[in-house]
Amino acid sequence: MIAGQEAPVQRPAASPLARPLRLALPPLRPPVGGTATWALLAPALALTVMLLIVPTLWLVRLSLLESGAGDAARFYVPSSFTLAQYRQVLTDPYFGAVVWSTVRLALVTGAVCLAVAYPLAVWITRARRPVGGVALWLVSLPKLTNALVVLYGVLLLLGNAGLLNRALLALGVIRTPLPLFANLFAVVTGEVLLVVPYPVMMVAGALWAGGRELREMEEAARGLGASPLRAFLETTFRLTLPGAALALLVTLVWAAGAFAAPLVLGNPALYTAAVEIHTQTFERLNWPLAAALAIVHLAIVAALAAAALTLHGRRATRRRTSPPALSGLSQVQRAKPALSTAEGCNGRPELVEGMQSAHNWGVRDGSTIGTSSGTRTPLSRERNGVRAAAAEAVDRRVWDRTLLRMSVAARGWSFRDRMTGWFGRSMFHAFALLTLAVLLCPLVFSLLVSLTPEETIGLPAPERGLSLRWYVALGRDPLWLRAFAHSLLTAAVATGLAVPAGALAAAGIDRLPDGARRGVTLLLIAPLFVPGAVLGLQALALSYRLGLWGTPYSTGLAHAMWTAPLAFLVVRAALRVTDRRLEEVARGLGAPPVAAFCLITLPRLWPALAAAAFLCAVMSLNELPMALFLATASNRTLPTLIWPQLRYNLTPIVAAASSVLLLLTIAGLLVAAVLAGRLVRRSERPAGAPDTRGDATGIPSAGVLYAHG
């Protein structure tokens, strides 16, 4: 050792696991782009491009061809070009009436859906957790089941000889049947039952996103003297209005594609563009004209969808750029100063006095607590020491609740206030329960009619009891059995393609840059916004050119393209609540990204994958418009066999077939709910709790090393 130099510090030998753990400790970011990312996205993109984008382009080309309707051997003239189809669609008064019928039905349906969905969503979000969850599943049931089951129940209720008219005639309320069928009222009723789950879920999502802040603001407004209704309108309703507008636009998109309800419940004057597309394709054999009408219809729906996406983007930008939300009393004071006036307190001096006393108790001599700037200034020295200590100890939200209680105590509640609040709450609960009953009535009546022993449509007579006669007839009829087998085969093909493609896309989408991620996401979910009749015509044109028309695989491919976005959304939502740190540790230890995902994250996603598979299978079993375009005598599915009998030969065996679809849907939803519950419970494990269950060798999982390394 050289003189004057210090001896080197002897460090302990590094453990063999020290370097891997140091690499694993910092959070690893997923690679941006790359071959592996696009390999994960490739199956879903291939489904969308090959079964949606390419058929759309070919549909545009088809709309520019001359019609071959005069020649029974061909549907169009291949080597031709004309704009006559668009000229006819845009100038013919008949098609103008069809477009107006479509727009009118969409507007009326959207208005009714939003009027029903908003209060129902408020009730669901404010109910206890089990009640709200069950109610949300019940609301979604009419949409997830077959549309024909819902429309069959509406037909049983609203027909001229329906159950409602029979009951009113038996009670002597009316002498002649009410005109409840084959009019705009019946069509809107059926369409609302099919579409209302979407705005309910979207508004409920907006309310849940607000969390407790919305409730605290509303309570603070009531503490300042506002009536319960005005407090709700000035706080919760105003802040969730953009979400309600977005729900309205999405409802208009879905209502504009109405197909089954106008045909089953309406008359020719109420037929929409989707109905006319089917008529031109199969009855008049004018494929170019049907293609032109489909392109115009798709342009209208695309404009509505673009407006909805623009509104959603502005909401997201506003949430990112806006300052932190104020809490309780301070936010209400800034948002609605009129609440502190006599007019805001409905002109009642005692409410003004009570509000001012509570306000002065919390704000005095320029010293504020929970101010709009988010700071808390100390109380003046003259104040009581207990209040000063409480002000320093409690959280700002707790302080605002204290002011709220003082405000309510200061102004008191009169007998009229208590009665008005009780009556309003009672009416609110009654409206929500009545809405749920109306949504489920068609399904319940359809199930009861299938148990009648009679030859005619009607509820089972008490003296005759229930009977499985029509289920036995359904099981012995080879025509229905073949249709059921084709439905299962179609659902298997769709699920086998959609779930892997959607799951892989969900795993790779977050590895893209922000701009690319938004664009790819919009492309992947685009089939959900395209009307079923347009998708059916596109699938028909593609399968006709590929020689697949008339086989179950053509319907299965179309359903795979349509249900892949559903699997993508379900698995992506599951990934957001799944701990990805174990995958990051594996990658830090040298595992390739794909291997790390498949060996660590994928086994933890099996509840979400199973739920997505059940939902895709249920949606494929119940889908009608695309199956109707692709069905032939040799590959009819159960909905396409129910369709003509529902329109022309209504018998209880149709109720039995509809009930089979309904029971399959309920079973699938129950399984999906159980699996989703397991995933949620797994995601709610405390953040610091390690996974000590280990693997088959008894060694704790890598989460222990990551959390405690």
Side-chain angles (χ1 to χ4, degrees):
M1 181 186 307
I2 302 176
Q5 287 187 348
E6 297 181 358
V9 178
Q10 298 294 328
R11 299 182 182 274
S15 170
L17 288 177
R19 179 175 175 80
L21 285 178
R22 284 197 300 270
L23 292 176
L25 282 177
L28 300 177
R29 300 294 180 186
V32 177
T35 305
T37 299
W38 290 107
L40 293 173
L41 296 170
L45 290 176
L47 277 177
T48 305
V49 171
M50 297 303 298
L51 300 177
L52 179 65
I53 304 301
V54 172
T56 301
L57 297 177
W58 192 83
L59 209 62
V60 173
R61 177 69 184 97
L62 177 62
S63 66
L64 299 175
L65 300 178
E66 294 181 0
S67 174
D71 188 354
R74 55 184 180 179
F75 301 111
Y76 53 88
V77 179
S79 57
S80 61
F81 179 84
T82 180
L83 295 175
Q85 318 300 338
Y86 287 100
R87 189 180 304 112
Q88 184 176 357
V89 170
L90 298 176
T91 60
D92 194 326
Y94 173 77
F95 290 103
V98 170
V99 173
W100 165 243
S101 177
T102 304
V103 173
R104 180 181 61 175
L105 178 60
L107 292 176
V108 175
T109 302
V112 175
C113 281
L114 193 60
V116 172
Y118 195 95
L120 183 58
V122 173
W123 183 83
I124 289 174
T125 55
R126 298 191 177 186
R128 295 182 179 180
R129 187 171 182 179
V131 176
V134 172
L136 194 60
W137 279 103
L138 293 178
V139 167
S140 63
L141 185 59
K143 180 59 189 176
L144 293 178
T145 190
N146 193 282
L148 298 181
V149 179
V150 179
L151 298 179
Y152 181 77
V154 175
L155 185 62
L156 294 176
L157 289 173
L158 300 183
N160 294 331
L163 301 176
L164 185 58
N165 273 321
R166 288 183 185 178
L168 295 176
L169 288 172
L171 294 174
V173 178
I174 58 175
R175 296 184 178 179
T176 57
L178 295 176
L180 303 176
F181 179 66
N183 51 29
L184 182 62
F185 170 77
V187 176
V188 171
T189 301
E191 197 62 24
V192 166
L193 293 177
L194 296 175
V195 177
V196 76
Y198 292 108
V200 170
M201 293 180 183
M202 295 185 68
V203 175
L207 292 169
W208 270 318
R212 296 179 59 183
E213 293 289 340
L214 294 178
R215 297 296 302 274
E216 291 177 359
M217 292 167 55
E218 187 176 338
E219 292 173 358
R222 293 177 62 183
L224 290 173
S227 63
L229 178 60
R230 180 167 185 182
F232 173 80
L233 294 177
E234 295 292 349
T235 56
T236 302
F237 178 75
R238 178 172 293 185
L239 293 177
T240 57
L241 196 57
L246 178 62
L248 176 61
L249 289 175
V250 174
T251 304
L252 293 177
V253 169
W254 280 91
F259 175 75
L263 275 173
V264 176
L265 303 175
N267 57 66
L270 299 173
Y271 287 173
T272 59
V275 176
E276 188 62 28
I277 291 172
H278 183 269
T279 302
Q280 294 292 336
T281 303
F282 291 102
E283 296 183 13
R284 302 181 184 177
L285 301 181
N286 194 341
W287 285 25
L289 184 58
L293 187 59
I295 295 300
V296 173
H297 190 198
L298 188 60
I300 296 174
V301 172
L304 292 174
L309 294 173
T310 301
L311 179 60
H312 178 68
R314 289 182 178 179
R315 288 181 61 211
T317 303
R318 188 181 298 114
R319 285 197 300 266
R320 288 193 300 266
T321 59
S322 59
L326 309 177
S327 64
L329 184 62
S330 58
Q331 186 161 5
V332 175
Q333 287 174 336
R334 168 181 279 192
K336 193 61 181 176
L339 291 175
S340 61
T341 63
E343 184 272 333
C345 296
N346 300 322
R348 297 171 61 183
E350 67 275 12
L351 300 187
V352 179
E353 182 181 358
M355 183 280 302
Q356 290 293 345
S357 64
H359 178 75
N360 294 333
W361 187 77
V363 181
R364 184 180 298 171
D365 296 332
S367 298
T368 60
I369 297 176
T371 58
S372 60
S373 62
T375 60
R376 178 164 35 207
T377 57
L379 292 173
S380 57
R381 294 181 180 271
E382 307 84 54
R383 298 229 181 159
N384 185 285
V386 176
R387 287 192 301 181
E392 295 296 329
V394 301
D395 184 76
R396 184 175 61 186
R397 294 183 181 178
V398 178
W399 185 264
D400 286 343
R401 295 193 192 101
T402 305
L403 296 181
L404 171 62
R405 288 194 296 268
M406 289 297 298
S407 171
V408 174
R411 74 181 181 91
W413 288 96
S414 65
F415 177 76
R416 189 182 71 173
D417 292 334
R418 289 195 297 268
M419 290 301 297
T420 302
W422 175 84
F423 180 76
R425 288 192 300 270
S426 301
M427 294 300 295
F428 182 53
H429 292 306
F431 173 82
L433 295 176
L434 180 63
T435 303
L436 288 176
V438 171
L439 289 175
L440 297 177
C441 256
L443 304 180
V444 174
F445 279 113
S446 176
L447 186 61
L448 290 177
V449 168
S450 67
L451 298 174
T452 181
E454 306 292 340
E455 294 281 348
T456 58
I457 295 295
L459 294 178
E463 61 274 8
R464 296 291 302 274
L466 304 179
S467 173
L468 298 178
R469 168 189 176 183
W470 298 107
Y471 288 95
V472 175
L474 185 68
R476 292 177 177 176
D477 193 331
L479 185 63
W480 289 99
L481 292 178
R482 282 197 301 270
F484 185 67
H486 290 153
S487 295
L488 293 179
L489 178 59
T490 299
V493 172
T495 304
L497 293 176
V499 173
L504 292 176
I509 192 67
D510 289 329
R511 304 172 186 269
L512 295 176
D514 291 341
R517 182 173 65 250
R518 286 193 293 267
V520 173
T521 301
L522 292 179
L523 180 61
L524 292 178
I525 67 174
L528 296 178
F529 293 94
V530 181
V534 177
L535 289 176
L537 183 58
Q538 292 174 342
L540 172 62
L542 179 65
S543 61
Y544 180 75
R545 289 180 63 88
L546 296 178
L548 296 176
W549 189 22
T551 66
Y553 302 103
S554 61
T555 311
L557 287 174
H559 287 180
M561 178 268 300
W562 182 58
T563 56
L566 180 62
F568 166 74
L569 295 175
V570 170
V571 177
R572 191 180 185 191
L575 285 172
R576 291 182 181 275
V577 298
T578 301
D579 191 357
R580 304 293 298 274
R581 295 177 296 178
L582 304 180
E583 181 183 346
E584 294 174 355
V585 170
R587 288 169 48 203
L589 294 174
V594 176
F597 174 80
C598 293
L599 295 178
I600 296 179
T601 303
L602 192 60
R604 294 173 174 265
L605 291 178
W606 74 264
L609 294 174
F614 277 105
L615 291 176
C616 290
V618 165
M619 297 295 285
S620 177
L621 284 173
N622 293 319
E623 199 279 328
L624 175 67
M626 284 186 285
L628 205 59
F629 274 84
L630 296 171
T632 62
S634 60
N635 71 328
R636 283 187 293 187
T637 59
L638 204 55
T640 58
L641 190 58
I642 295 175
W643 174 252
Q645 302 205 29
L646 182 63
R647 296 188 65 192
Y648 308 115
N649 186 26
L650 197 59
T651 61
I653 197 172
V654 178
S658 301
S659 299
V660 169
L661 289 176
L662 176 61
L663 295 176
L664 289 175
T665 300
I666 294 175
L669 289 179
L670 289 177
V671 173
V674 171
L675 296 175
R678 289 187 179 183
L679 183 64
V680 170
R681 287 192 297 271
R682 178 179 299 175
S683 66
E684 290 177 348
R685 182 183 294 117
D691 186 0
T692 59
R693 292 174 298 177
D695 55 16
T697 63
I699 302 175
S701 65
V704 178
L705 300 179
Y706 183 83
H708 303 282

